[in-house]
Amino acid sequence: MARFLPCARVVAHPDSRRPAILIAESQPELRNVLSCVLRDAAYDTALAADGIEAVSAVMRMSPDLLVLDLHLARLDGLVALEVVRALAQDLPVVLISCLAASSLGTAAERLGAFAVLRKPFRNAELLDAVARGLAQRPGAKEDAAAGAREPLHLAP
């Protein structure tokens, strides 16, 4: 089994609300790496291991953005995306898949995915897609103008 180093723990100012990213990925190692990358970039993360968990988490927590693997157990990623779209029309979604991005383009566009990343992708590509997705949310400009992110402190 692969071993991963723990990511740096980022602690937000107690009164701040960092954007919450839901990561729905079937591979536990990749799910944890994605979470570390996003937490290190000052996002809060929640994890889902399959499509049912992803839909349930969207209903329960109303995330600011969803990173969604297309190959999920119990409920395929595209089906999960259809359900998510019915629940949260404005939720930005970044699809991730090992399939060629061009083959996913039509389905992703039809279902309103903001971006499609082909595995393997670089951390910078993920962070760019997440930042662009969050910027397109309704109210994102007002949040930025109000200083939605407070200063961050690295925990020891």
Side-chain angles (χ1 to χ4, degrees):
M1 175 179 259
R3 291 178 43 125
F4 295 95
L5 297 174
C7 55
R9 191 168 149 235
V10 179
V11 179
H13 184 280
D15 297 328
S16 71
R17 185 192 178 285
R18 301 182 328 166
I21 312 297
L22 174 60
I23 302 166
E25 166 58 52
S26 58
Q27 300 173 28
E29 296 86 7
L30 181 54
R31 194 170 52 241
N32 291 332
V33 168
L34 295 174
S35 179
C36 283
V37 168
L38 292 169
R39 287 193 332 246
D40 285 350
Y43 298 110
D44 286 331
T45 62
L47 306 177
D50 61 47
I52 300 288
E53 285 183 17
V55 170
S56 176
V58 167
M59 291 189 306
R60 186 178 62 256
M61 67 175 277
S62 299
D64 296 304
L65 185 134
L66 170 61
V67 175
L68 178 66
D69 182 17
L70 287 182
H71 302 287
L72 296 172
R74 299 201 306 160
L75 188 63
D76 181 72
L78 283 178
V79 176
L81 181 54
E82 287 185 60
V83 175
V84 165
R85 275 290 157 251
L87 297 170
Q89 292 178 349
D90 294 330
L91 177 65
V93 176
V94 175
L95 292 177
I96 57 176
S97 175
C98 57
L99 299 175
S102 60
S103 66
L104 298 173
T106 304
E109 185 177 314
R110 179 178 57 82
L111 293 171
F114 177 76
V116 178
L117 298 178
R118 185 176 188 269
K119 296 176 188 176
F121 48 83
R122 294 187 170 136
N123 293 348
E125 293 174 289
L126 173 66
L127 294 173
D128 180 61
V130 166
R132 289 185 295 118
L134 291 172
Q136 67 131 22
R137 290 177 308 152
K141 290 180 182 159
E142 292 82 13
D143 289 348
R149 284 198 191 177
E150 296 291 328
L152 299 175
H153 309 282
L154 286 177

